[in-house]
Amino acid sequence: MPLTLTLREPPAVPLETEGLAPDRLASLRRSEIEALTVWHGNERAQLADFFAVSGDGDEELLVEGDVRRVKFLGAGMTTGRLTVARDAGMHTGADMRGGELVVEGDVGDFAGTGMRGGRLVVHGSAGHQLGGAHPGERAGMRGGEILVHGDVGDQVGAGLRRGLIAVAGRAGDGAGLRMLAGTIVALGRFGAAAGADMRRGTIVAMSDVTLLPTFTYACSYRPPFLSLYLRHLRALGLPLTDEQIEGRYARWAGDGLELRRGEILIYEGNE
Amino acid sequence: MRLSDTQVVDTFAEAFPMWGARIVITAQSPAWAHEAARSMTGFATSVIGCKCEAGIERELDPAETPDGRPGVSALLFASDREGVAKRLVERIGQTVLTCPTTACFNGLEAPETVNVGGQLRFFGDGYQASKVLDERRYWRVPVMEGEFLVEERFAVAEGVAGGNIIVLGRDVAGALRATEAAAAAMRSVRDVILPFPGGIARSGSKVGSRYSGLAASTNEALCPTLRAQVPHTDVPAEVGSVFEIVIDGLTFEAVRDAMARGLEAAAGAGASHVTAGNYGGNLGPHHIELRGLVPGLRDE
């Protein structure tokens, strides 16, 4: 049985658990894990005040219970695997550098903020600012992969610098806002203002997108790199078809208010 | 020694370390992948005159390639890492980048890598863009056709070059038939290439020449037409033609395996003699003895 943290009951106010990651806990004894500091609102507390600790293991950590109000799960993790059995709270996987974090349910806002490596998989939906930037920082996610099997909120990949964000469902408004590079793929519809102020990078849309007038049509073609990406995502479980992988895409360059080095690729079919 | 009706000389092939890379070329169709691979591996028979040795390793099924398109894998060898890097940049830049619908990927897993796509990207004149997937960086170079995709770094590893067998026959037709059979059998081995045209060299060479400045010259001891003129000949009286197959590989085992399959096939196809080329054993660290290479080889 992997090392398991079971939340006894949902906290009255958000609980901050920065550093609750398999690599950090692997070197700690049970008593040391139970004594880890958590913040319950503005009050310092110990992990054992909220979680029951059971099992053991070096590489794997399981978090059970209703942790929707638990923040920063897996923040900064570098190796190993963290599974959240139900919904997870805000800032899940923030500043991740490696390993795999799997959320079986939904995840709150700011998940994967400042991420630099590893993989965050959300089987439900994600909130706003997925893979975004920390307040005051220009660049958001700088590496790694985020896969969401449901929908995502507004400003997914805001300030994205490097890495891949893939969404099986819909993306909210302002996807790729001010993005610097990297790739965002959504199989569902995008909301308004996708790619606003993007400098470089790629947004891939499998449905129609209402483009900003500052994007300019270039051509319709089969981007060679995209088949690598889409094959990779299908191997990770995203429901991509052969037609999408081998298909034609309209290339729109933008944002014209910035460098116009970014692109929105819109699936056109496989004729 | 004898293998069927073929006399096998009790000698060894002397092989040398060389650095190699595997290049995976994909394209819209197998024909275009082959076109690029043939062009990239052209004029790469001998490191002496071509600065590298290269050849097509095998055709790749779409399921085996990174982008799911038909592909061809090729191997390229040079004397050192830097040589491999230079030749890859030159050759991929001139023959794969220019070829319709192709993309080019590293096909070797090894700790050492050289920068290839990171040099070729400059063809994009500032419009190039990179993508990083699974910790591998790819360059998208805009071209008139659309986009050329090339991986930034190619792995290089120390391999073995100069494995060989020499096939002798009563006339050109018979010797060539046996050598073709040997080459065909060798092509079934992974991790090796046969860098000469069709895998076969008719002009095996010796080191040096009576003319200063020539690094290699004809191997007169194996030239049937010179049998009556040279102080020493290795051509038996009944032999009228001789061919050589040179094998470069990523591992010693692969080169040895290719030699074994070639020897067996040449004997099966009627070679009168099979021998191997060496320099007395003093130059190359890899010695591949013909004795013991295949079962069924017996002393006379």
Side-chain angles (χ1 to χ4, degrees):
Chain A
M1 183 183 177
L3 180 62
T4 304
L5 308 180
T6 307
L7 187 69
R8 293 195 183 88
E9 58 184 56
V13 294
L15 189 69
E16 294 196 7
T17 62
E18 203 155 357
L20 213 58
D23 48 338
R24 185 176 174 211
L25 269 51
S27 60
L28 302 180
R29 292 193 297 270
R30 173 79 58 91
S31 59
E32 291 173 320
I33 294 171
E34 290 173 340
L36 285 172
T37 297
V38 296
W39 287 89
H40 185 219
N42 60 0
E43 290 177 3
R44 183 192 294 266
Q46 292 191 334
L47 186 96
D49 297 337
F50 295 90
F51 287 92
V53 182
S54 59
D56 54 24
D58 292 340
E59 293 287 321
E60 202 166 342
L61 173 63
L62 174 64
V63 176
E64 294 183 325
D66 183 356
V67 290
R68 282 177 294 180
R69 285 187 180 163
V70 178
K71 296 181 178 179
F72 294 102
L73 282 169
M77 69 182 275
T78 59
T79 61
R81 181 184 167 95
L82 166 57
T83 304
V84 180
R86 294 163 62 180
D87 298 343
M90 294 163 74
H91 302 283
T92 296
D95 296 316
M96 265 182 83
R97 287 170 183 267
E100 187 173 46
L101 199 168
V102 179
V103 179
E104 298 294 351
D106 298 338
V107 72
D109 298 341
F110 308 110
T113 302
M115 190 168 161
R116 287 171 186 261
R119 182 179 298 143
L120 169 60
V121 180
V122 180
H123 286 286
S125 293
H128 303 307
Q129 287 270 353
L130 176 74
H134 288 297
E137 288 190 359
R138 172 70 180 90
M141 179 176 168
R142 292 174 171 85
E145 296 174 354
I146 300 177
L147 269 78
V148 179
H149 290 268
D151 302 328
V152 298
D154 296 340
Q155 297 185 13
V156 54
L160 181 65
R161 176 73 185 82
R162 190 177 298 124
L164 170 62
I165 301 175
V167 183
R170 290 165 303 177
D173 295 345
L177 177 74
R178 302 186 75 206
M179 69 188 275
L180 300 166
T183 307
I184 300 171
V185 179
L187 308 193
R189 291 187 64 84
F190 278 93
D197 283 344
M198 74 189 289
R199 292 171 72 90
R200 293 185 173 83
T202 305
I203 294 174
V204 182
M206 295 299 173
S207 318
D208 268 349
V209 183
T210 304
L211 291 165
L212 289 168
T214 46
F215 279 75
T216 308
Y217 177 74
C219 67
S220 170
Y221 78 133
R222 302 176 199 273
F225 83 95
L226 196 55
S227 66
L228 264 71
Y229 272 67
L230 298 184
R231 274 169 206 286
H232 175 75
L233 291 173
R234 183 158 73 176
L236 293 174
L238 251 63
L240 285 151
T241 63
D242 287 343
E243 287 71 26
Q244 289 167 326
I245 289 170
E246 295 161 8
R248 300 184 66 83
Y249 289 80
R251 184 174 195 266
W252 291 78
D255 185 340
L257 296 178
E258 283 288 345
L259 296 176
R260 207 190 290 277
R261 291 287 175 88
E263 62 187 351
I264 298 180
L265 301 173
I266 305 171
Y267 177 60
E268 292 188 319
N270 192 22
E271 295 303 308
Chain B
M1 298 183 292
R2 290 200 83 81
L3 184 63
S4 304
D5 295 330
T6 302
Q7 189 173 337
V8 178
V9 180
D10 192 0
T11 186
F12 61 91
E14 188 171 355
F16 305 85
M18 283 235 276
W19 285 80
R22 179 183 281 122
I23 304 100
V24 171
I25 299 167
T26 65
Q28 184 180 285
S29 66
W32 278 116
H34 271 287
E35 199 68 54
R38 270 196 299 273
S39 190
M40 198 209 70
T41 57
F43 186 57
T45 53
S46 166
V47 74
I48 299 169
C50 312
K51 300 179 184 172
C52 67
E53 298 179 7
I56 291 174
E57 184 187 20
R58 66 188 183 97
E59 189 169 304
L60 299 173
D61 187 80
E64 298 177 274
T65 63
D67 60 4
R69 300 192 301 168
V72 170
S73 75
L75 303 180
L76 181 144
F77 294 86
S79 304
D80 51 39
R81 268 159 280 212
E82 294 72 26
V84 175
K86 282 180 188 165
R87 304 291 87 82
L88 287 176
V89 171
E90 288 169 357
R91 284 168 177 268
I92 295 172
Q94 294 301 313
T95 65
V96 187
L97 184 153
T98 57
C99 181
T101 77
T102 60
C104 193
F105 305 97
N106 166 44
L108 183 65
E109 291 296 327
E112 291 198 53
T113 61
V114 295
N115 187 7
V116 177
Q119 296 291 322
L120 295 173
R121 71 184 162 119
F122 294 114
F123 185 74
D125 202 24
Y127 295 101
Q128 68 273 17
S130 79
K131 286 287 171 194
V132 179
L133 184 65
D134 255 355
E135 299 180 354
R136 295 178 135 182
R137 184 180 292 277
Y138 303 88
W139 284 99
R140 301 167 59 192
V141 182
V143 290
M144 288 160 51
E145 172 224 77
E147 217 170 74
F148 172 58
L149 185 69
V150 58
E151 196 161 344
E152 178 168 89
R153 301 200 72 85
F154 280 64
V156 291
E158 196 173 78
V160 174
N164 66 84
I165 63 168
I166 296 170
V167 180
L168 293 73
R170 291 182 213 297
D171 52 26
V172 172
L176 186 56
R177 192 165 50 243
T179 318
E180 285 172 343
M186 288 176 169
R187 285 195 195 95
S188 64
V189 179
R190 299 270 176 100
D191 295 342
V192 300
I193 53 158
L194 317 178
F196 282 93
I200 300 171
R202 68 167 180 182
S203 56
S205 61
K206 67 175 184 296
V207 176
S209 160
R210 72 172 64 195
Y211 303 108
S212 61
L214 263 189
S217 60
T218 194
N219 186 356
E220 67 267 17
L222 278 168
C223 290
T225 57
L226 300 180
R227 204 161 62 84
Q229 292 172 251
V230 292
H232 167 76
T233 185
D234 290 325
V235 183
E238 68 275 24
V239 166
S241 190
V242 181
F243 293 97
E244 180 175 1
I245 300 177
V246 173
I247 308 127
D248 297 337
L250 293 171
T251 65
F252 176 85
E253 292 72 26
V255 172
R256 191 177 186 279
D257 186 21
M259 281 179 59
R261 293 196 200 190
L263 171 58
E264 215 155 30
S272 65
H273 300 72
V274 174
T275 182
N278 63 65
Y279 308 94
N282 300 318
L283 293 179
H286 303 294
H287 298 171
I288 306 170
E289 303 277 350
L290 297 188
R291 178 177 287 278
L293 203 54
V294 295
L297 199 59
R298 61 187 189 282
D299 285 315
E300 287 184 295

